[in-house]
Amino acid sequence: MFDLSGHRVWVAGHRGMVGAAVVRRLASEPVEVLTADRDAVDLVRQNQVEDWIAAHRPSVVVVAAARVGGIAANDARPVDFLYDNLMIEANILAAAAKIGVAKLIFLGSSCIYPREAAQPIREDALLTGPLEPTNQWYAIAKIAGIKLAEAYRRQHGHDFISAMPTNLYGPGDNYDLESSHVIPALLRKAITARDAGAAEMVVWGTGRPRREFMHVDDLADAIVFLLKHYSASAHINVGTGCDLPIADLAAMVARTVGFTGRLCFDTSRPDGTPRKLMDSSRLAELGWRPRIGLQEGLADAWRAYVTAT
Ligand code: GFB
């Protein structure tokens, strides 16, 4: 049990969907939350990260900062997804180790696992096979981050842990149709089609790939739980244990926002990984479970989108 009381917790990446959710969640913990604006520190620059950490001296770090995006953005901008993520994680972990923080949590992604991994995917499937090509750049950066956290624990004894969240959605998501993940894209498309009285809305790919989705507030709760209750070199999966085909997700989104037209599948767009359901039983054994079901979560994401636009 790690007692968070009185700690100065730096949430790196607090303007992103995950970081913002962690800041909201930490409001009910007896901690001081630290955040760094982009104009105060560019996380890709090592000297800026070192200077900021040395000046503000956090005692706990949540690495929620990352270059993220959906299937098209990953494929189109390999340098951004590989270089920026490598630099961000290496800079933060090294600077945190230098000042000797008491705890650090690094976040990966379910795309670190081999494309053809046996389902549900256990933590020990890491590095047992080739990656999905559409997101290999991001996956390789995240695998390096997991290994770096593990290396700091092994060589210098730092309490660095890594969590692998499944596909996320929720308030503060990116709704840009080319660079976003599937849920914000489908919400926006369904609302637009409904308002235009369109006969159909376009869904990328065949609709057959399956995905597991978690509301970002559940992830934020899991992060706080892991900070308090987990300390080991092995990374740990954070999922819901349920997945569904993209076609079913699109139908659910359409129902949620009241679009009654047809779904039209654009097979010129990539499907990506056929399935990536994670086995989250290690986290369940520690005593944590998600609370927000997909239907309830989609309604919340829809409300957040409408409020933001
Ligand atoms: O969420 P998404 O972009 O990322 O796509 P991945 C999930 C599935 O939804 C794919 C389909 O099969 C897409 O083809 N899809 C259908 C759509 N319609 C749309 C749409 O309008 N927009 C988008 N974006 N997808 C990402 C990785 O993979 O998952 C990242 O690229 C990261 O690296 C993230 O790991 C969690 O699940 O395929």
Side-chain angles (χ1 to χ4, degrees), residues 69-72 74-75 81 109-112 134-135 138-139 165-168 177-183 185-186 189 202-206 209 211 213 246 249 269-273 276:
I71 193 165
N74 270 262
D75 211 24
F81 282 84
S109 160
S110 57
C111 70
I112 59 160
T134 53
N135 55 35
Y138 182 72
T166 186
N167 284 40
L168 302 167
L177 290 182
E178 272 305 309
S179 63
S180 70
H181 288 104
V182 61
I183 288 185
L186 292 179
K189 286 183 196 176
V202 175
V203 180
W204 291 359
T206 61
R211 291 290 183 275
F213 296 102
I246 294 298
L249 171 75
R269 292 293 195 151
D271 271 346
T273 312
K276 48 180 172 177

Side-chain angles (χ1 to χ4, degrees), residues 1-18:
M1 176 80 189
F2 177 79
D3 186 4
L4 269 181
S5 308
H7 277 286
R8 291 165 59 79
V9 185
W10 178 30
V11 181
H14 71 288
R15 294 218 178 271
M17 176 175 73
V18 173

Side-chain angles (χ1 to χ4, degrees), residues 85-163:
N85 285 315
L86 284 172
M87 298 309 286
I88 291 167
E89 66 206 21
N91 291 341
I92 296 176
L93 268 61
K98 203 167 177 182
I99 66 156
V101 300
K103 188 112 193 176
L104 176 148
I105 185 166
F106 174 72
L107 300 178
S109 160
S110 57
C111 70
I112 59 160
Y113 292 114
R115 183 177 199 274
E116 306 295 342
Q119 311 280 319
I121 312 172
R122 288 160 33 128
E123 285 87 352
D124 59 12
L126 184 65
L127 295 173
T128 57
L131 298 166
E132 154 63 29
T134 53
N135 55 35
Q136 58 179 317
W137 323 100
Y138 182 72
I140 284 173
K142 287 295 182 181
I143 292 169
I146 297 165
K147 289 293 170 190
L148 190 58
E150 195 181 323
Y152 271 112
R153 174 180 288 272
R154 182 167 166 166
Q155 189 175 336
H156 298 298
H158 291 298
D159 192 357
F160 288 5
I161 59 172
S162 296

Side-chain angles (χ1 to χ4, degrees), residues 10 12 40-56 58 87-96 99:
W10 178 30
V41 52
D42 178 352
L43 298 174
V44 173
R45 318 291 284 191
Q46 185 181 25
N47 60 335
Q48 293 191 26
V49 178
E50 279 188 353
D51 290 350
W52 191 90
I53 283 205
H56 294 84
M87 298 309 286
I88 291 167
E89 66 206 21
N91 291 341
I92 296 176
L93 268 61
I99 66 156

